[in-house]
Amino acid sequence: MAKEKSSALKNIIVLFVVAVISVSILAVLNQITAEPIAVAEANAKAAVYKNVYSQAADVAEIENLEALLNSYTPINADITINAALEAKDDSGNTIGHVIDATSPNGYGGDVQIAIGITNDGEITAFSVISASETPGLGAKASEDEFASQFTGLKATEIAFSKTGANRDINEIDAISGATITTTAVTQAVNEAISFYNNVLKGE
């Protein structure tokens, strides 16, 4: 009986030591990989920002963004404006803006998008930064066939149609079989447009 207790105690100690070592290794690995992952994510976002305003020579973050966000009353409290940047020409003049927004209402959760808007109030392009939508359905939001619909639309409220979009009234075609994703995307885009019209346009 004493031997059995001793053996069980040894096993517990061994398991405890293994667990401590494993946790320590994971902590070290996390510390090592955290910075490269953060850099990769930042670079990926920067590439998207440049892509939605390809006419710009440079896209730079707005320094007083926090104050601007605090002054803004959202049209949909669920939507988050993550970033707003100035698109500049070769001479450093601001020719438009890039706005990054997230809707939490996608089929798979958060749908984060970016759009470019010219000083004349026209959308230059749209891109999905991140989403976890259903392959073959909601994931089509990242495809050019859907994304290209936003280019050239006015920076006013956008709606979607299931029966054929009318661009004259700022409509896009919904993704077939993915109304939830289309709704989330439209929410995020409209919040970005609202932020532009109510805050950035008047800067």
Side-chain angles (χ1 to χ4, degrees):
M1 181 68 88
K3 286 184 179 180
E4 288 179 2
K5 286 184 179 179
S6 177
S7 177
L9 182 60
K10 286 180 181 178
N11 288 337
I12 291 171
I13 292 172
V14 168
L15 287 172
F16 177 75
V17 171
V18 169
V20 169
I21 292 172
S22 298
V23 169
S24 299
I25 291 172
L26 286 173
V28 171
L29 288 174
N30 183 62
Q31 194 170 15
I32 292 170
T33 59
E35 187 173 346
I37 289 172
V39 169
E41 288 177 349
N43 289 340
K45 279 188 183 181
V48 170
Y49 296 156
K50 186 68 177 72
N51 182 57
V52 297
Y53 216 122
S54 58
Q55 306 93 320
D58 185 37
V59 178
E61 289 190 13
I62 297 173
E63 292 182 4
N64 61 334
L65 178 60
E66 188 173 349
L68 293 176
L69 287 171
N70 288 335
S71 71
Y72 172 64
T73 302
I75 56 174
N76 187 330
D78 284 347
I79 313 304
T80 303
I81 301 295
N82 305 303
L85 306 95
E86 291 178 323
K88 298 179 180 291
D89 63 15
D90 289 322
S91 300
N93 300 311
T94 299
I95 56 175
H97 291 85
V98 172
I99 305 165
D100 170 340
T102 297
S103 168
N105 302 319
Y107 189 80
D110 287 353
V111 177
Q112 185 178 3
I113 62 90
I115 59 169
I117 303 176
T118 69
N119 284 348
D120 295 326
E122 183 178 293
I123 295 176
T124 58
F126 158 93
S127 185
V128 172
I129 296 174
S130 65
S132 300
E133 302 304 274
T134 307
L137 293 173
K140 289 183 178 180
S142 299
E143 296 178 4
D144 187 60
E145 183 178 353
F146 176 77
S148 62
Q149 296 184 90
F150 291 88
T151 300
L153 290 179
K154 299 180 185 69
T156 56
E157 186 177 359
I158 289 171
F160 65 84
S161 171
K162 297 180 183 180
T163 57
N166 182 347
R167 289 181 65 84
D168 290 337
I169 58 172
N170 248 32
E171 282 186 341
I172 59 166
D173 285 314
I175 301 168
S176 180
T179 303
I180 293 175
T181 301
T182 307
T183 300
V185 165
T186 306
Q187 287 176 337
V189 169
N190 282 333
E191 198 66 57
I193 289 171
S194 175
F195 184 70
Y196 166 78
N197 284 320
N198 290 290
V199 180
L200 301 180
K201 188 177 180 180
E203 261 197 304

